[in-house]
């Protein structure tokens, strides 16, 4: 089916002057005198620009873009200005079997829109085909979708940043804090109610001061690109809380704005920068909210379905679904690479964010032959003078072929390390045979990352994240409890490496509660004292619970929001413990080295950078490593070890880390430390309020409580 004739146009109320304009930049660009509109579509036959009133409710005028240059349709309106509300209707063949789904009856968002007006209202008119038709998606729907669509808005990009400077936190000093913009402040009693749950709420002194005192360096925001609430969630009275359902990659979602302005987000970035805190965005360039062949036509599908999405070559009616969401953006296509990199540069330059975490990142590097760390997209980022200088973090797995790629990304990238997560969880539960694996994980997983000049920071270590149990629930539940999601508890993962410590859920048993708190401290200490880049999940530092829900993606409720009142009710000690751990990490560079430990003897200096000890105070033997029942380990990190590629002794303090996952006390004989007199105890997770200054002699036994962690520093001054 071909469609070049326009759908029925409303009476014209405006008569805009029109010029040819330019094919660049893509999107709607206001130059102070007018607006240039440019839209890529390789297979369209014509493009109509639709102008709306300021509310986006009334369509005022339709204008065919007059020029077509290098597959870009463009025109210039001298009468248009910042604030103009618009959308597109794109004409071309409706041939799903050939990969084309043009339908000018469907109003479309501009992929480059930097402002969005209104919300999507689910209706059958949003679909390019007629729902319920016997021909399914091969049918053609003639209803106008404009009344149900959000619209694009032309923005004025001007903003006075003043003295704002990016913090530029070195990787070795970075501590990520993964958080949700709304959930972080929605219940905060010290933030004015009208701005709670917004960008402005995050910029409030109460929020910024908390982050500063905690000591984190970089907030990692769950997706804030404009996204859609899935229809099946709306029907159940739920929302897509996490936001992994983007429909636009340039506009910050204004559902998080107290003022409904773009400037609010910029002010938030500036306020965090002023406090020395970086802003990292979780970005979703692997798919869009348009779903598969049965999904709606909102943007890319109606503009150029064949270019934007991956499809089986032998049947382009359907979509390759490496994401589990119905579609996959084709980041091997030049114009899609341009879309993504233009978006990234916009956020890095115009919005001044400091880095990105890429959801399901292997998709971005998957060529026809499979995952390729030198694929088109990764190469384009690596050579980009802007993007190569920001923090780039990959979630290195997806559902596609060869989709698990931990350690497989190119130099310059950091990666979420789920091996760290799973091993640390299993170790502290007391699983057999985890000692050797644990040694790898707490030393930045050199088995995965020590290649091609990559550094320990490439391993982003985490115990918990937005997806899965949070820390409190990890030690309180054996099973998921996702009943609130309305899917009969069938959603979410069942294999969580969790342990309820003896009772499922909340309990009044003081002994169990004490064990749970100690286990939380064990895992937090492991996270923040390990080599690599730590990522803390917001709320874990004060024991937030999600009541056993390990898939709270649709819970825009108290299940997900941080319970600040709970801190006042007794969890301040845990927050203070985490604050102390972060401070120790900053104080002792040996805990965040820029070189991988090798355990090899430096013959010139007579120093081994790391030495492993068994509870007898002897160096670990192959037999010790192979003992599946062994659950206690000492790690001596020598501050005299070479710090950089320059051969000279290090100047760091030597530290000793002792981990005991055995259920009972283990007598651990403290080894000797060169040039020191004794060990100063800094952390004992069985004594969270311990004050520093407790000295212990070399070769003396220390009774390590069952399931606890110790950190000592070498005391160079005291005899006792």
């Amino acid at each position: 089916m071909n469609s070049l004739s326009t759908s029925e146009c409303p009476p014209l109320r405006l008569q805009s002057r029109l010029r040819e304009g330019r094919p660049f930049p893509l999107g709607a660009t206001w130059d102070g005198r007018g607006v240039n509109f440019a839209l890529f579509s390789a297979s369209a036959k014509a493009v109509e620009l639709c102008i709306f009133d300021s509310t986006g409710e009334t369509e005022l005028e339709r204008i065919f873009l007059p020029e077509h240059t290098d597959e870009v349709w463009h025109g210039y309106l001298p009468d248009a200005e910042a604030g103009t509300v618009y959308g597109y209707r794109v004409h071309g063949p409706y041939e799903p079997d050939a990969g084309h789904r043009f339908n000018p009856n469907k109003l479309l968002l501009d992929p480059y829109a930097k402002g969005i007006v209104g919300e999507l209202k689910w209706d059958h008119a949003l679909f390019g085909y007629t729902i319920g038709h016997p021909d399914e998606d091969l049918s053609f729907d003639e209803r106008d979708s404009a009344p149900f669509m959000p619209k694009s808005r032309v923005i004025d990009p001007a903003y006075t940043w003043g003295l704002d400077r990016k913090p530029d936190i070195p990787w070795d000093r970075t501590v990520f804090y993964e958080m949700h913009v709304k959930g972080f402040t929605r219940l905060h009693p010290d933030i004015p109610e009208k701005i709670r749950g917004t960008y402005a709420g995050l910029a409030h002194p109460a929020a910024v001061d908390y982050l500063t005192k905690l000591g984190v360096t970089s907030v990692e925001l769950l997706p804030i690109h404009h996204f859609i609430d899935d229809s099946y969630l709306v029907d159940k009275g739920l929302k897509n809380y996490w936001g992994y359902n983007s429909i636009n990659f340039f506009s910050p979602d204004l559902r998080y704005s107290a003022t409904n302005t773009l400037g609010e987000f910029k002010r938030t970035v500036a306020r965090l920068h002023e406090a020395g805190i970086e802003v990292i965005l979780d970005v979703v360039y692997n798919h869009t909210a348009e779903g598969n062949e049965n999904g709606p036509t909102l943007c890319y599908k109606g503009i150029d379905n064949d270019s934007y999405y991956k499809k089986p070559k032998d049947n382009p009616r359907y979509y390759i679904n490496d994401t589990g969401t119905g579609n996959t953006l084709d980041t091997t296509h030049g114009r899609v690479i341009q879309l993504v990199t233009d978006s990234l540069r916009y956020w890095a330059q115009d919005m001044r964010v400091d880095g990105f975490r890429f959801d399901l990142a292997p998709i971005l590097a998957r060529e026809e032959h499979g995952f390729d760390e030198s694929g088109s997209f990764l190469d384009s980022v690596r050579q980009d003078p802007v993007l190569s200088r920001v923090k780039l973090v990959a979630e290195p797995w997806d559902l596609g072929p060869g989709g698990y790629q931990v350690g497989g990304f190119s130099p310059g990238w950091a990666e979420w390390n789920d091996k760290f997560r799973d091993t640390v969880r299993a170790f502290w539960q007391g699983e057999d045979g985890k000692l050797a694996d644990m040694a790898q994980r707490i030393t930045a997983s050199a088995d995965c990352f020590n290649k091609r000049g990559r550094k320990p920071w490439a391993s982003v270590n985490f115990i918990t994240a937005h997806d899965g149990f949070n820390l409190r629930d990890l030690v309180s539940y054996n099973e998921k409890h996702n009943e609130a999601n309305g899917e009969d508890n069938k959603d979410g993962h069942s294999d969580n490496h969790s342990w309820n410590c003896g009772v499922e859920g909340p309990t009044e048993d003081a002994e169990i509660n004490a064990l749970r708190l100690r286990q939380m401290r064990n895992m937090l200490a492991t996270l923040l004292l390990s080599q690599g880049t730590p990522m803390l999940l917001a709320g874990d530092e004060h024991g937030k619970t999600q009541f056993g829900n390990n898939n709270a993606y649709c819970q825009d409720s108290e299940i997900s929001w941080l319970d600040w009142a709970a801190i006042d009710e007794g969890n301040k000690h845990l927050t203070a413990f985490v604050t102390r751990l972060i401070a120790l990490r900053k104080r002792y560079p040996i805990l965040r080295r820029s070189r991988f430990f090798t355990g090899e003897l430096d013959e010139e200096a007579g120093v081994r950078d790391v030495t492993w000890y068994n509870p007898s105070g002897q160096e670990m033997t192959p037999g010790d490593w192979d003992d599946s029942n062994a659950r206690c380990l000492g790690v001596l990190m020598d501050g005299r070890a070479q710090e950089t590629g320059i051969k000279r002794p290090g100047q760091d303090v030597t530290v000793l880390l002792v981990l005991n996952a055995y259920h009972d006390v283990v007598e651990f004989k403290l080894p000797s430390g060169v040039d020191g007199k004794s060990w100063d105890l800094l952390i004992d997770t069985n004594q969270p309020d311990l004050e520093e200054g407790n000295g212990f002699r070399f070769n003396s036994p220390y009774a390590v409580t069952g399931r606890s962690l110790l950190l000592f520093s070498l005391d160079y001054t005291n005899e006792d």
Side-chain angles (χ1 to χ4, degrees):
M1 179 184 298
N2 287 282
S3 175
L4 184 55
S5 59
T6 183
S7 51
E8 184 178 352
C9 184
L12 297 183
R13 301 185 184 183
L14 300 176
Q15 293 293 329
S16 294
R17 292 179 294 156
L18 179 64
R19 297 178 185 169
E20 293 82 359
R22 300 181 300 176
F24 57 87
L26 292 172
T29 306
W30 183 57
D31 60 12
R33 297 183 177 181
V35 178
N36 190 81
F37 295 88
L39 180 75
F40 158 74
S41 180
S43 301
K45 302 302 181 184
V47 173
E48 280 181 290
L49 172 67
C50 303
I51 306 296
F52 290 80
D53 67 4
S54 61
T55 67
E57 295 180 359
T58 303
E59 190 172 357
L60 303 176
E61 186 175 7
R62 296 187 190 178
I63 304 164
F64 279 99
L65 294 182
E67 276 295 342
H68 181 214
T69 304
D70 296 334
E71 300 182 332
V72 175
W73 300 82
H74 54 95
Y76 182 86
L77 297 186
D79 300 318
E81 57 187 18
T84 297
V85 179
Y86 69 101
Y88 289 114
R89 300 178 187 273
V90 182
H91 300 259
Y94 188 81
E95 299 172 354
D97 283 332
H100 300 304
R101 295 181 178 270
F102 296 100
N103 186 336
N105 300 290
K106 310 306 169 185
L107 188 78
L108 306 172
L109 287 171
D110 181 354
Y112 278 75
K114 297 177 177 65
I116 303 292
V117 177
E119 298 179 357
L120 183 134
K121 303 172 185 176
W122 282 104
D123 188 271
H124 287 185
L126 294 170
F127 296 77
Y129 67 97
T130 303
I131 292 180
H133 193 282
D135 292 336
E136 299 180 320
D137 64 296
L138 298 179
S139 62
F140 184 80
D141 190 87
E142 297 184 354
R143 286 172 288 187
D144 183 8
S145 68
F148 312 101
M149 278 289 295
K151 315 298 190 300
S152 306
R153 186 196 293 275
V154 180
I155 70 161
D156 178 354
Y159 183 80
T160 302
W161 285 94
L163 299 177
D164 176 73
R165 294 185 64 183
K166 292 187 176 185
D168 197 22
I169 306 294
W171 266 110
D172 68 292
R173 291 180 175 270
T174 299
V175 179
F176 287 131
Y177 187 76
E178 191 194 33
M179 61 179 291
H180 189 284
V181 169
K182 181 176 183 179
F184 185 68
T185 63
R186 179 63 183 82
L187 299 177
H188 202 300
D190 297 330
I191 295 176
E193 188 170 357
K194 64 181 180 180
I195 63 170
R196 292 179 191 171
T198 68
Y199 305 121
L202 178 56
H204 188 273
V208 177
D209 290 350
Y210 175 82
L211 295 169
T212 303
K213 291 176 182 178
L214 186 62
V216 297
T217 67
S218 313
V219 293
E220 183 177 306
L221 306 181
L222 264 66
I224 62 163
H225 288 166
H226 191 89
F227 64 91
I228 300 297
D229 287 317
D230 315 69
S231 61
Y232 76 92
L233 291 177
V234 174
D235 291 343
K236 293 191 293 185
L238 299 171
K239 297 180 180 178
N240 190 320
Y241 175 69
W242 288 348
Y244 290 92
N245 202 31
S246 303
I247 194 60
N248 176 273
F249 301 126
F250 289 84
S251 175
D253 201 307
L254 295 184
R255 74 186 73 193
Y256 301 137
S257 176
T259 59
N260 204 39
T261 64
L262 300 181
E264 183 179 329
F265 179 80
K266 293 181 178 181
R267 285 191 294 274
T268 298
V269 172
R271 180 66 186 90
L272 289 166
H273 282 179
E274 183 182 350
I277 298 172
E278 294 179 320
V279 178
I280 310 296
L281 298 188
D282 193 336
V283 289
V284 189
Y285 295 113
N286 54 73
H287 76 281
T288 78
E290 291 187 300
N292 61 15
E293 66 277 3
N294 297 316
T297 297
L298 309 175
C299 182
Y300 316 91
K301 187 180 290 185
I303 292 172
D304 192 347
N305 182 71
D306 193 46
S307 294
Y308 278 111
Y309 294 115
K310 287 187 174 182
K311 300 168 296 300
K313 286 190 174 182
D314 59 348
N315 198 348
R317 172 185 174 185
Y318 300 104
Y319 296 79
I320 291 174
N321 185 18
D322 291 340
T323 64
T325 62
N327 66 53
T328 304
L329 273 180
D330 187 0
T331 49
T332 66
H333 190 288
R335 287 292 189 178
V336 181
I337 292 175
Q338 180 186 7
L339 171 76
V340 175
T341 52
D342 283 351
S343 167
L344 292 168
R345 277 190 296 271
Y346 173 72
W347 287 97
Q349 293 180 301
D350 291 58
M351 306 298 247
R352 298 202 179 184
V353 304
D354 304 279
F356 306 93
R357 178 266 187 190
F358 293 80
D359 183 61
L360 304 182
I363 285 171
L364 305 176
R366 184 171 287 115
E367 304 289 320
E368 287 189 15
H369 55 275
F371 176 86
D372 186 344
E373 61 91 16
S374 293
S376 305
F377 173 76
L378 296 188
D379 278 352
S380 69
V381 170
R382 183 161 35 182
Q383 61 78 42
D384 190 285
V386 173
L387 302 182
S388 61
R389 295 174 181 268
V390 302
K391 286 187 167 74
L392 301 171
V393 181
E395 181 187 38
W397 49 79
D398 65 20
L399 300 178
Y404 186 76
Q405 291 294 332
V406 173
F409 277 73
S410 51
W413 285 76
E415 303 173 33
W416 273 24
N417 187 355
D418 66 330
K419 292 184 178 181
F420 181 94
R421 175 197 65 195
D422 294 346
T423 298
V424 172
R425 290 185 180 191
F427 175 81
W428 284 115
Q429 288 172 35
E431 288 188 18
D432 292 344
K434 292 296 179 182
L435 217 57
D437 199 17
M438 188 67 167
Q440 286 279 15
R441 303 308 148 224
I442 63 177
T443 52
S445 298
D447 57 331
C448 299
F449 298 102
N450 190 10
K451 55 188 176 182
R452 303 183 65 189
R454 299 183 78 180
K455 299 296 185 181
W457 56 255
S459 174
V460 176
N461 302 328
F462 65 105
I463 308 291
T464 59
H466 66 275
D467 187 2
F469 279 139
N470 57 12
L471 188 60
R472 167 72 69 175
D473 292 356
L474 187 66
V475 300
S476 303
Y477 295 92
N478 285 348
E479 308 295 336
K480 62 183 181 179
H481 296 271
N482 300 347
E483 290 80 7
N485 296 354
E487 300 180 38
D488 298 323
N489 204 32
K490 295 178 181 178
D491 60 307
H493 295 291
S494 296
D495 183 16
N496 297 285
H497 295 288
S498 64
W499 177 45
N500 64 20
C501 298
V503 173
E504 188 76 353
T507 179
E508 298 297 322
D509 189 309
E511 188 174 336
I512 289 177
N513 284 330
L515 174 58
R516 287 176 175 176
L517 279 170
R518 191 163 71 251
Q519 286 286 73
M520 292 167 66
R521 290 192 292 268
N522 288 337
M523 286 186 271
L524 288 165
T526 304
L527 173 68
L528 291 164
L529 301 179
S530 291
Q531 304 294 312
T533 304
M535 185 187 78
L536 180 68
L537 174 65
D540 277 356
E541 74 276 15
H542 54 78
K544 175 189 162 40
T545 179
Q546 291 184 170
F547 312 102
N549 192 319
N550 75 348
N551 189 34
Y553 77 103
C554 58
Q555 293 300 325
D556 188 0
S557 67
E558 288 84 354
I559 289 176
S560 297
W561 304 337
L562 268 64
D563 184 1
W564 293 94
I567 304 178
D568 297 332
E569 293 172 2
N571 290 320
K572 287 185 177 180
H573 290 294
L574 189 60
T575 307
F577 182 73
V578 173
T579 302
R580 185 177 175 192
L581 288 171
I582 295 175
L584 285 170
R585 182 180 181 86
K586 293 179 179 179
R587 188 198 309 175
Y588 295 111
I590 194 71
L591 297 172
R592 46 182 174 81
R593 275 171 54 94
S594 61
R595 293 169 66 86
F596 284 98
F597 286 119
T598 66
E600 298 176 358
L601 179 66
D602 182 334
E603 298 288 351
E604 289 185 33
V607 174
R608 193 178 277 135
D609 54 12
V610 64
T611 307
W612 307 91
Y613 290 96
N614 63 27
S616 299
Q618 302 298 312
E619 290 190 32
M620 292 282 287
T621 66
D624 292 328
W625 289 116
D626 293 338
D627 184 356
S628 63
N629 294 315
R631 288 172 172 78
C632 187
L633 177 69
V635 191
L636 190 152
M637 293 168 267
D638 199 318
R640 300 171 300 150
Q642 182 179 331
E643 296 174 341
T644 70
I646 300 174
K647 286 189 173 295
R648 61 187 176 199
Q651 302 297 316
D652 294 346
V653 173
T654 295
V655 300
L656 174 67
L657 189 65
V658 179
L659 306 94
N660 178 26
Y662 188 57
H663 68 272
D664 206 348
V665 173
V666 170
E667 292 285 337
F668 194 96
K669 187 176 181 181
L670 301 176
S672 300
V674 177
D675 296 333
K677 302 296 184 181
S678 62
W679 291 107
D680 186 11
L681 181 60
L682 304 177
I683 291 290
D684 183 342
T685 57
N686 190 50
Q687 304 176 65
D689 298 324
L690 173 79
E691 293 187 6
E692 297 178 20
N694 299 289
F696 294 86
R697 293 180 180 275
F698 297 157
N699 301 312
S700 65
Y702 188 101
V704 185
T705 307
R707 296 193 175 95
S708 65
L709 177 148
L710 312 172
L711 177 68
F712 299 87
S713 65
L714 192 61
D715 189 335
Y716 298 91
T717 58
N718 296 327
E719 292 288 342
D720 298 323

